[in-house]
Amino acid sequence: MIEVSLRLPAENDLQGVVEQLESGGIGRERIEVLTREPLPPSALPVRSSRMSKVGVIGALLGLSAAAAGLITITLSAHLRTGGMPLIAPLPLGVITYEMTLLAAILAIVAALFLGAGLGPGRRVPPHPELRQDEAIVSVICGGEDEAKRAHSILSIVAAAARVYVPLLVLILLAPTLNGGSAAGQTFQRSCAPCHGTAGEGRIGPQIADRAWSADAFESRVRDGGLLMPSFSVRDISEAQLRTLLAFVNRLPAPTASGRLPSPSQNEPGASAFETNCIGCHGVEARGGIGPGILNTPLGPSQFREHVRRGGTIMPAFSRDRLSDGEVEEIYAYLHPPLQRADPGDVDELPAVPNYPRDSLFALAGLALLGQIVSERRRRSAMRLRTEVEAVHARFPMSEDGRLQVRVF
Amino acid sequence: MSAAIEMAVRPAAPPADPAAPLLQPMLITGRAYRRMTLLLGAVITWGAFCFLYQGFVGLGVTGLRRPVFWGFFITDFVFWIGISHAGTLISAILRLTDASWRYPVTRAAEAITVFALMIGGMFPIVHLGRPWLFYWLVPYPSARMIWPNFRSPLEWDFFAVSTYITASSLYLFLPLIPDLALARDRTRGWRHRLYGFLAMSWRGTQVQWHRLELAIQLGAAVVIAIAVSVHTIVSWDFAMAIVPSWHSTIFGPYFVVGAIFSGIAALILVMAVLRRVYHLEAYLQPKHFDNLGKLLLAMTLLWAYCVVAEMITVWYGNLPDDMATFWSKVNGHYAILFWTMITLNFLIPFPILAIKRLRTVVGTVIASVTILVGMWLERFLIVVPGGANQRLSFNSWNGYTPRWTEISITLATLSAMTLLYMTFAKLFPIISIWEVGGHGRVARTGASTPEPIPIGEST
């Protein structure tokens, strides 16, 4: 199973995040909000419990069982010596009283364990990084489709949360629903398909946090660009354009979450990538006209050859346009280091016993068995590790580890 | 603009972990701790030897002989069961009344309950002539369809104590679960596995929190009902007999009051030791000692009231059999012990607790120590003089003088209690971390709603 989770300060509008996930088609039963301390009930309503009724039923059961047992014993088993009755009203009262309360508290604890899903040996690994003042919104996804949905919703929330959470969750996410501001709707209709729902850049470049001047913005929208269509007054009216400008300028800088480092970070290869590749492969190298090349499976030499020769549509890049060093830099740039959810995850993989292959044990055949077992464990560990890495490659995590994807 | 925002939103250095000072004592074991363990272990070993010796030779090695058959062991039983009310009852009452100062106190109190019950529940078995047959108390037809005698108060003790120990262990365990999960996440090795198992895969989902708090709340109500009944039943061990001065109708509430009284004293003492040894001054503040001191003051007065009510009815009834015990306490064989008890339980603690200036940490600790000694004497003075002055005058051949066996066993159980508590505090957070936590508490009590803060800027 895949868990997609986002860590954020507990003061945030957790209810809002949960509602976003729900409106994204993720069942409420899959969404959990984890904290180190109980949240106030107003922050996140919890469905009510029948625990007190269970306690009362348990008490009644205990009472009837004790009374019935004692009465049966009294009637059927007299003390052999002297035929004295075993029990009288007071002892009956004392013992049934204690048994009633015992059954009540056992029933309450059982209701707690069943109702809260507690019990030894459970499936979902804990979040050791959770702090006292934070909450984790966790989605346990059944399949990868669901994980994708949860991941995209939570990354938008994470992007929004970086600046001003409750406010910006509203500003940014409201338009994705049917309501929301007019400018937001225009943005979602006209810009978001290429520039991303948070303006973070997708096929088209990032437009959020670019401090557009009115002139530059107008000419870009009206005239279009190399790939960008032009929007006439019929598409976007003058008034809409003004509000749209204000809206776009209010969009916060996107997080670096799971994306290529932005050019401003002076990553080697970034500027070369931006000049040469971005137009077709998208700002995030996730594909546009050309295919996605983030974490391309090509080896370095294959990659260089492909760049030099070009493809069916892709132009060839000669040494004049791109030096070998630049190609290498781009290649490295396209393979950002994977960020793991939690180093603990890997530590939890079964250890691989290191049997000395040529020892006496091996000769004794015992080690052969050991080898087989360890080989199996190694393979299953490898498989799990590959799976984990594959998922992590598909679902990038934020740099600060707040947005996590874990396989378990 | 972007640079400024980047600066502002960059995650600040993580704040000092609020849980660290409470987890710290668990992870560091000093030399003093080891020495104390060795010392207590030696005393316990000696006590165990005495118990084995008593088992081999017989109860004759103790001071128990005609007409006094209930001596130190039963005194200890009543005393420890009384101490056990510290915990659960006090913590449950504080929870149900939602006393906001309770958070650092409850865990320490609940742990006292469980261990005092273990020790107390052991004494009837120590007291048995053939302790290896103790399981005959378990209600099943042990031989030829012969059941234990349900009319015996000893059998009621079995039901009461086993119910109480189950309930109070659960009541200790439930609020411990989130802290066990925290400890699981912050430790490695065997501790990680131990806490991982005990934390029952706690993740801290809101459903879990809600259910847990509900269960604790409901459990508190049940535990109060059990605790009151347990000490009432212990008092019936005496009151159901026709021995003069035992056969009293006030014994039920009198014992419960005495139990809560000694329980609070034990709690104050334990808290003072924890505060000193584990440097928990920030959590166990003078305020807590002051509040518990007030409770103790109320219980001193209630206890004195019960003593007067009990004594005055006996005196007014003026029955010769009862008066023999009465005078042996007030002005006879047990007079020194009796007046010491009155001094320790009322005359010394009352002014200390009543005068605000004296109700400090030191003051409440002094009062608690005198009360604990006084309450042990009170149990002794209930058990022994009654047995020594029975109705048939020729029964009064002899008094009761404890011998080294029962004194050793008593001291050994005191050490065992201390050792159990030390071990518990070494293994588990003795202060409820999630309950003393930071702003969540504020939000929950509805005092104020914190402003939303930008991510990364932690409080």
Coordinates of all heavy atoms in Angstrom, one line a residue, chain A residues 6-41:
Chain A
L6 N 1.1 14.6 4.3 CA 1.6 16.0 4.4 C 1.7 16.4 5.8 O 0.7 16.3 6.6 CB 0.7 16.9 3.6 CG 1.1 18.4 3.6 CD1 2.4 18.6 2.9 CD2 0.0 19.2 3.0
R7 N 2.8 17.0 6.2 CA 3.0 17.4 7.6 C 2.8 18.9 7.6 O 3.4 19.6 6.8 CB 4.4 17.0 8.1 CG 4.7 17.1 9.5 CD 5.7 16.1 9.9 NE 6.9 16.3 9.1 CZ 8.0 17.0 9.4 NH1 8.0 17.6 10.6 NH2 9.1 17.1 8.6
L8 N 2.0 19.4 8.5 CA 1.8 20.9 8.6 C 1.5 21.3 10.0 O 1.1 20.5 10.8 CB 0.8 21.4 7.5 CG -0.7 21.0 7.7 CD1 -1.4 21.6 6.5 CD2 -0.9 19.5 7.5
P9 N 1.6 22.6 10.3 CA 1.3 23.0 11.7 C -0.1 22.7 12.0 O -1.0 22.8 11.2 CB 1.6 24.5 11.7 CG 2.5 24.7 10.6 CD 2.2 23.7 9.5
A10 N -0.3 22.3 13.3 CA -1.6 21.8 13.7 C -2.7 22.9 13.7 O -3.9 22.6 13.6 CB -1.6 21.2 15.1
E11 N -2.2 24.1 13.6 CA -3.2 25.2 13.7 C -4.0 25.4 12.3 O -4.9 26.2 12.3 CB -2.6 26.6 14.0 CG -2.2 26.7 15.4 CD -0.8 26.2 15.7 OE1 -0.2 25.5 14.8 OE2 -0.2 26.6 16.7
N12 N -3.5 24.7 11.3 CA -4.0 25.0 10.0 C -5.4 24.5 9.9 O -5.9 23.7 10.7 CB -3.2 24.4 8.9 CG -1.9 25.2 8.8 OD1 -2.0 26.4 8.8 ND2 -0.8 24.5 8.8
D13 N -6.1 24.9 8.8 CA -7.4 24.5 8.5 C -7.4 23.0 8.0 O -7.5 22.7 6.9 CB -8.0 25.4 7.4 CG -9.4 25.0 7.1 OD1 -10.0 24.3 7.9 OD2 -9.9 25.4 6.1
L14 N -7.3 22.1 9.0 CA -7.2 20.7 8.7 C -8.5 20.2 8.0 O -8.5 19.4 7.1 CB -6.8 19.9 9.9 CG -5.5 20.3 10.5 CD1 -5.4 19.7 11.9 CD2 -4.4 19.8 9.6
Q15 N -9.6 20.7 8.6 CA -10.9 20.3 8.0 C -10.9 20.7 6.5 O -11.4 19.9 5.7 CB -12.0 21.1 8.8 CG -13.4 20.8 8.3 CD -13.8 19.4 8.5 OE1 -13.3 18.7 9.4 NE2 -14.7 18.9 7.7
G16 N -10.4 21.8 6.2 CA -10.4 22.3 4.8 C -9.6 21.3 3.9 O -10.0 20.9 2.8
V17 N -8.4 20.9 4.4 CA -7.6 19.9 3.7 C -8.3 18.6 3.5 O -8.3 18.1 2.4 CB -6.2 19.7 4.4 CG1 -5.4 18.7 3.6 CG2 -5.5 21.0 4.6
V18 N -9.0 18.2 4.5 CA -9.7 16.9 4.4 C -10.8 17.0 3.4 O -11.0 16.1 2.6 CB -10.2 16.5 5.8 CG1 -11.2 15.3 5.7 CG2 -9.1 16.1 6.7
E19 N -11.5 18.2 3.4 CA -12.6 18.4 2.5 C -12.0 18.4 1.0 O -12.7 17.9 0.1 CB -13.3 19.6 2.8 CG -14.3 19.4 3.9 CD -14.9 20.8 4.4 OE1 -14.6 21.8 3.8 OE2 -15.6 20.7 5.5
Q20 N -10.9 19.0 0.8 CA -10.3 19.0 -0.5 C -10.0 17.6 -1.0 O -10.3 17.3 -2.1 CB -9.0 19.8 -0.5 CG -9.1 21.3 -0.5 CD -10.0 21.8 -1.5 OE1 -10.0 21.3 -2.7 NE2 -10.9 22.7 -1.2
L21 N -9.5 16.8 -0.1 CA -9.2 15.4 -0.5 C -10.4 14.7 -0.8 O -10.5 13.9 -1.8 CB -8.4 14.7 0.6 CG -7.0 15.1 0.8 CD1 -6.4 14.7 2.1 CD2 -6.1 14.6 -0.3
E22 N -11.5 15.0 0.0 CA -12.7 14.3 -0.2 C -13.3 14.7 -1.6 O -13.8 13.8 -2.3 CB -13.7 14.6 0.9 CG -13.5 13.7 2.1 CD -14.6 14.0 3.1 OE1 -14.5 15.1 3.7 OE2 -15.5 13.2 3.4
S23 N -13.2 16.0 -1.9 CA -13.8 16.4 -3.1 C -13.0 15.9 -4.3 O -13.4 15.9 -5.4 CB -14.0 18.0 -3.2 OG -12.7 18.5 -3.2
G24 N -11.7 15.6 -4.0 CA -10.9 14.9 -5.0 C -11.2 13.5 -5.2 O -10.4 12.8 -5.9
G25 N -12.3 13.0 -4.6 CA -12.7 11.6 -4.8 C -12.0 10.6 -3.9 O -11.9 9.4 -4.2
I26 N -11.4 11.1 -2.8 CA -10.8 10.1 -1.9 C -11.7 9.9 -0.7 O -12.1 10.9 -0.1 CB -9.4 10.7 -1.4 CG1 -8.5 10.7 -2.7 CG2 -8.8 9.9 -0.3 CD1 -7.3 11.5 -2.5
G27 N -12.0 8.7 -0.4 CA -12.9 8.4 0.6 C -12.5 8.8 2.0 O -11.3 8.8 2.3
R28 N -13.4 9.3 2.8 CA -13.1 9.8 4.1 C -12.4 8.8 5.0 O -11.6 9.1 5.8 CB -14.4 10.3 4.8 CG -14.2 10.9 6.2 CD -13.5 12.2 6.1 NE -13.3 12.8 7.4 CZ -12.2 12.6 8.1 NH1 -11.3 11.7 7.7 NH2 -12.1 13.2 9.3
E29 N -12.8 7.5 4.7 CA -12.2 6.5 5.6 C -10.7 6.3 5.3 O -10.0 5.7 6.1 CB -13.0 5.2 5.4 CG -12.7 4.4 4.1 CD -13.5 5.1 2.9 OE1 -14.3 6.0 3.2 OE2 -13.3 4.6 1.8
R30 N -10.2 6.8 4.2 CA -8.8 6.7 3.9 C -8.0 7.8 4.4 O -6.8 7.8 4.4 CB -8.6 6.6 2.4 CG -9.2 5.4 1.7 CD -8.7 5.2 0.3 NE -9.2 4.0 -0.3 CZ -8.8 2.8 0.0 NH1 -7.8 2.6 0.8 NH2 -9.4 1.7 -0.6
I31 N -8.7 8.9 4.8 CA -7.9 10.1 5.2 C -7.9 10.1 6.8 O -8.8 9.9 7.4 CB -8.7 11.4 4.8 CG1 -9.0 11.3 3.3 CG2 -7.9 12.6 5.1 CD1 -10.0 12.3 2.8
E32 N -6.6 10.3 7.2 CA -6.5 10.4 8.7 C -5.6 11.6 9.0 O -4.7 11.9 8.3 CB -5.8 9.1 9.2 CG -6.7 7.9 9.3 CD -5.9 6.6 9.6 OE1 -4.7 6.6 9.4 OE2 -6.5 5.7 10.1
V33 N -6.0 12.2 10.1 CA -5.2 13.3 10.6 C -4.5 12.9 11.9 O -5.1 12.6 12.9 CB -6.1 14.6 10.8 CG1 -5.2 15.7 11.4 CG2 -6.7 15.0 9.5
L34 N -3.2 12.9 11.8 CA -2.4 12.4 13.0 C -1.8 13.5 13.8 O -1.3 14.5 13.2 CB -1.2 11.5 12.5 CG -1.5 10.5 11.4 CD1 -0.2 9.7 11.1 CD2 -2.6 9.5 11.7
T35 N -1.9 13.4 15.1 CA -1.3 14.5 15.9 C -0.7 13.8 17.1 O -1.0 12.7 17.5 CB -2.3 15.5 16.4 OG1 -3.5 14.8 16.9 CG2 -2.8 16.4 15.3
R36 N 0.2 14.6 17.8 CA 0.8 14.1 19.1 C -0.2 14.4 20.3 O 0.0 13.9 21.3 CB 2.1 14.7 19.3 CG 3.2 14.2 18.5 CD 3.9 13.0 19.2 NE 5.0 12.5 18.4 CZ 5.2 11.3 18.0 NH1 4.4 10.3 18.5 NH2 6.2 10.9 17.3
E37 N -1.1 15.3 20.0 CA -2.0 15.7 21.1 C -3.4 15.7 20.5 O -3.5 16.0 19.3 CB -1.7 17.1 21.6 CG -0.5 17.1 22.5 CD -0.1 18.6 22.8 OE1 -0.9 19.5 22.5 OE2 1.0 18.8 23.3
P38 N -4.4 15.5 21.3 CA -5.7 15.6 20.7 C -6.1 17.0 20.2 O -5.7 17.9 20.9 CB -6.6 15.1 21.9 CG -5.8 15.3 23.1 CD -4.4 15.1 22.7
L39 N -6.7 17.1 19.1 CA -7.1 18.4 18.6 C -8.4 18.8 19.2 O -9.2 17.9 19.7 CB -7.3 18.3 17.1 CG -6.1 18.2 16.2 CD1 -6.5 17.9 14.8 CD2 -5.2 19.4 16.3
P40 N -8.7 20.1 19.3 CA -10.0 20.4 19.8 C -11.1 19.9 18.9 O -10.8 19.9 17.7 CB -9.9 22.0 19.8 CG -8.8 22.3 19.0 CD -7.8 21.2 19.0
P41 N -12.2 19.5 19.5 CA -13.2 18.9 18.6 C -13.7 19.8 17.5 O -14.1 19.3 16.4 CB -14.4 18.6 19.6 CG -13.8 18.8 21.0 CD -12.6 19.6 20.9

